Amino acid sequence: TSIMTGQNQPDFQSVGTFDYGKKAVVFLSAEMDKIVAYSRKKPSKTSSITLNWSSISTSNINPYALGYTGVSGYEFVCLDYVDAKLVFFNRSGNVTATVQVPETAPMNDWFAFSFTNNRAFFYNKERRIWYGYKVF
């Protein structure tokens, strides 16, 4: 059943993730300046969290992937595919940590990144295999 018709994500290519703490589907905005959240119960109700990237360049960020960790203070995660780092944000939109990704992990500038069950997943497009690394 379609709850909302039309394109409702911030960008045509945006990939959402479920924030089970707030029961909302969240996306990284097309400008990468905020996280946009759609309520699961009332999809027309939206909210956003302005992101403070501090000294991190958004030009290195995979723009079509965002993860939700469920870990307090590190709720959201983005992928810096140039420096092979995970960038964690809290619910206030502040960077709370960066974690280096193993050299063996495949890095992609679009899509091919996910986060669930305390693990970061990276997709090798050539071999068509997902690789998971425990983070928490």
Side-chain angles (χ1 to χ4, degrees), residues 65-115:
L66 174 70
Y68 176 75
T69 70
V71 177
S72 181
Y74 307 91
E75 286 85 359
F76 305 101
V77 59
C78 294
L79 174 64
D80 176 338
Y81 66 90
V82 174
D83 296 324
K85 291 190 299 189
L86 300 175
V87 181
F88 292 90
F89 292 89
N90 61 16
R91 288 200 182 277
S92 297
N94 296 314
V95 173
T96 54
T98 59
V99 174
Q100 196 67 44
V101 174
E103 291 179 16
T104 56
M107 289 292 112
N108 292 286
D109 57 348
W110 286 20
F111 308 112
F113 166 70
S114 185
F115 196 98

Side-chain angles (χ1 to χ4, degrees), residues 19-68:
D19 175 346
Y20 52 84
K22 297 290 184 181
K23 296 185 177 24
V25 178
V26 295
F27 298 91
L28 183 61
S29 71
E31 299 80 20
M32 293 187 284
D33 62 342
K34 61 187 166 191
I35 293 171
V36 180
Y38 293 86
S39 168
R40 184 175 179 276
K41 287 186 177 184
K42 293 185 178 183
S44 60
K45 181 182 174 188
T46 61
S47 62
S48 64
I49 299 169
T50 301
L51 297 176
N52 174 12
W53 288 94
S54 57
S55 62
I56 297 167
S57 170
T58 57
S59 63
N60 295 352
I61 301 299
N62 180 330
Y64 303 120
L66 174 70
Y68 176 75

